[in-house]
Amino acid sequence: MDARLISLFSFLITFQLLFVGIFLITHPKGNRRNNILLGTIFLLMAWNMGDLTLQVYGVVLRWNFLTHIDDGFLLLYGPLFYLYARGVIFKDFRLSGATLLHLTPYLLLTASLLSFGNLMPGTTEEFLAIELPWQYYTIGALIYTHFFVYLGLTYLTLWKYRRIIKNEYSQIDQINLGWLSFSLNSFGLLTIVSLIHNFIAPAKNVYVFMVTLVLLLLYIFYFVNRVILKALRQPEIFAGIGQNETARYQGSSLTAGQVEEYRQKLLTLLRTDKPFLNPQVSLSDLSEKLSISSKNLSQVINQTFGKNFFDFINSYRIQEVQHILKDSRDDKMTILEAMYEAGFNSKSSFNTAFKKETGQTPSEFRKNISRMRSTS
């Protein structure tokens, strides 16, 4: 790809990132703290892209501060995204003075570069032409390691969140934060491509260098547009969970007799009222009807049935689907209709849960019923 075309494309991406960053930081709606954190990430990316555009054009800034300030931005992406994810997930998350400690590696690196000079050449041509010092690779490896550590911490936080919501809700598609997973995966992939791009110089392979550069630009362009459409347009249906909810059943005073009593009350409710037919039924709904605390009810379900709330409720819904399909004499009754009637509102969740519970797909189950009817 022509260098001028690459620089034009990178300029377009820079402008887009800058616009989104400013919009998020100044947007009055939603969670201001989270918007500012995410907006800052986009602004830092815009700075990096702008610097890349200048490098492709062969422009080198002569002001040391402006030249070095973005060299360590990768040390900021990890902490900012980690804090943003915690802000989205935990409703009682607060920024504090200790949060500033996450900035320490970046500040130390930037101060060092300003004091001792940059290890990076100015233009793309210089980058490919010279033999880079060993310090460049050592610092680069530490920077990328720092980012992936934070990325791992963010994945761990998201995993804990998903485990918790399955103990609270029977439908999780709209609170599963799939867009956050997409952003995490995208950041990881972008960083891997960036790593290849920045460490390919010793091979003096201009072709590989330019290909990775184009891939980096294309994926950033895709990433920023996908996040805009998917994350920013998502309905405000998620308020977060409490950080202390991650400690399950600590200090529980339930006796074996109480556990069995609550279990029987739960089974009676499910048999008589069939609350699982409500697609939005939650743990708190059942705890209110049974006059049992949500924590105790969750403990009863986990310990006596060996399932989280999500899987437990879905097992009853699947049984209901099976009854509907078996008892229905209407050949026009579709699996989709039975699914909605039983309380599911997501086809993908239904198919996954049905296969997990029965070992066969809904279509296979329907065919077996038809086969049994034809032979009887």
Side-chain angles (χ1 to χ4, degrees):
M1 182 180 286
D2 186 83
R4 289 174 296 180
L5 188 58
I6 292 176
S7 62
L8 183 63
F9 189 39
S10 63
F11 175 78
L12 171 65
I13 298 173
T14 302
F15 176 78
Q16 191 176 42
L17 290 166
L18 184 65
F19 173 80
V20 174
I22 294 174
F23 169 78
L24 282 169
I25 290 176
T26 59
H27 192 52
K29 296 183 180 180
N31 187 302
R32 288 282 295 150
R33 177 202 59 215
N34 294 343
N35 285 346
I36 290 173
L37 287 171
L38 185 60
T40 302
I41 293 174
F42 279 106
L43 289 181
L44 294 179
M45 292 178 67
W47 190 304
N48 275 143
M49 290 303 304
D51 184 58
L52 176 63
T53 304
L54 294 177
Q55 287 183 33
V56 173
Y57 266 117
V59 177
V60 180
L61 297 175
R62 297 306 175 187
W63 299 281
N64 282 343
F65 178 73
L66 294 178
T67 301
H68 300 317
I69 194 172
D70 71 318
D71 290 342
F73 275 3
L74 196 60
L75 292 171
L76 294 178
Y77 290 135
L80 284 173
F81 210 96
Y82 174 66
L83 295 173
Y84 169 70
R86 290 184 67 83
V88 170
I89 290 172
F90 297 119
K91 61 188 176 186
D92 51 355
F93 174 75
R94 297 288 183 273
L95 293 176
S96 63
T99 305
L100 296 177
L101 293 175
H102 292 285
L103 307 181
T104 303
Y106 167 74
L107 295 176
L108 290 175
L109 176 65
T110 303
S112 299
L113 292 175
L114 289 173
S115 301
F116 303 111
N118 198 355
L119 296 172
M120 284 281 292
T123 66
T124 299
E125 288 79 8
E126 293 173 349
F127 181 78
L128 290 171
I130 70 170
E131 190 71 31
L132 295 173
W134 65 267
Q135 292 95 331
Y136 167 80
Y137 298 103
T138 302
I139 295 175
L142 292 174
I143 290 175
Y144 280 103
T145 300
H146 175 274
F147 174 82
F148 283 114
V149 166
Y150 272 96
L151 192 68
L153 290 173
T154 310
Y155 271 116
L156 181 62
T157 303
L158 185 59
W159 176 80
K160 288 181 178 179
Y161 160 74
R162 285 176 167 161
R163 187 185 66 180
I164 292 169
I165 61 173
K166 285 191 174 184
N167 280 309
E168 299 286 338
Y169 302 97
S170 63
Q171 294 286 355
I172 63 171
D173 295 275
Q174 301 217 323
I175 57 174
N176 198 30
L177 297 189
W179 60 269
L180 184 57
S181 292
F182 164 77
S183 299
L184 278 172
N185 294 335
S186 295
F187 258 82
L189 182 59
L190 282 172
T191 307
I192 291 173
V193 176
S194 171
L195 190 153
I196 297 172
H197 174 74
N198 288 324
F199 281 79
I200 205 68
K204 303 296 189 298
N205 194 324
V206 178
Y207 176 77
V208 176
F209 183 87
M210 296 304 290
V211 167
T212 55
L213 175 60
V214 172
L215 289 176
L216 196 63
L217 292 174
L218 287 173
Y219 200 81
I220 291 176
F221 182 75
Y222 166 74
F223 165 70
V224 65
N225 283 280
R226 179 74 181 272
V227 170
I228 291 171
L229 293 175
K230 196 170 183 65
L232 303 185
R233 292 174 57 186
Q234 185 177 17
E236 293 292 341
I237 56 172
F238 174 66
I241 58 174
Q243 295 188 66
N244 58 359
E245 291 176 36
T246 56
R248 298 169 60 195
Y249 319 136
Q250 288 185 359
S252 174
S253 58
L254 281 183
T255 65
Q258 288 175 315
V259 170
E260 182 59 26
E261 177 190 349
Y262 293 162
R263 177 178 179 274
Q264 292 302 325
K265 288 177 67 175
L266 174 61
L267 291 174
T268 300
L269 177 67
L270 292 168
R271 184 171 59 253
T272 56
D273 291 0
K274 294 188 176 183
F276 52 84
L277 297 181
N278 174 11
Q280 303 303 326
V281 68
S282 66
L283 182 70
S284 59
D285 294 331
L286 296 192
S287 68
E288 185 177 345
K289 290 182 179 182
L290 294 169
S291 298
I292 303 172
S293 71
S294 296
K295 183 176 180 179
N296 286 342
L297 183 57
S298 177
Q299 180 180 346
V300 169
I301 293 173
N302 276 261
Q303 290 183 354
T304 63
F305 296 98
K307 297 178 180 179
N308 55 50
F309 180 75
F310 176 78
D311 290 335
F312 177 69
I313 290 297
N314 279 344
S315 67
Y316 273 83
R317 288 173 174 159
I318 291 167
Q319 291 177 29
E320 188 69 17
V321 170
Q322 291 174 318
H323 287 313
I324 292 172
L325 294 177
K326 285 180 180 178
D327 298 341
S328 175
R329 296 299 174 183
D330 183 4
D331 292 335
K332 295 183 179 180
M333 166 66 74
T334 66
I335 295 175
L336 201 61
E337 289 172 329
M339 178 196 84
Y340 286 123
E341 191 174 328
F344 284 100
N345 60 8
S346 168
K347 186 176 180 180
S348 60
S349 294
F350 165 67
N351 288 331
T352 301
F354 197 97
K355 177 77 172 182
K356 180 180 179 181
E357 187 74 16
T358 66
Q360 56 185 333
T361 65
S363 299
E364 290 170 343
F365 178 79
R366 183 67 180 268
K367 289 178 181 178
N368 289 335
I369 292 176
S370 301
R371 191 180 300 114
M372 290 169 60
R373 285 177 178 172
S374 62
T375 56
S376 59

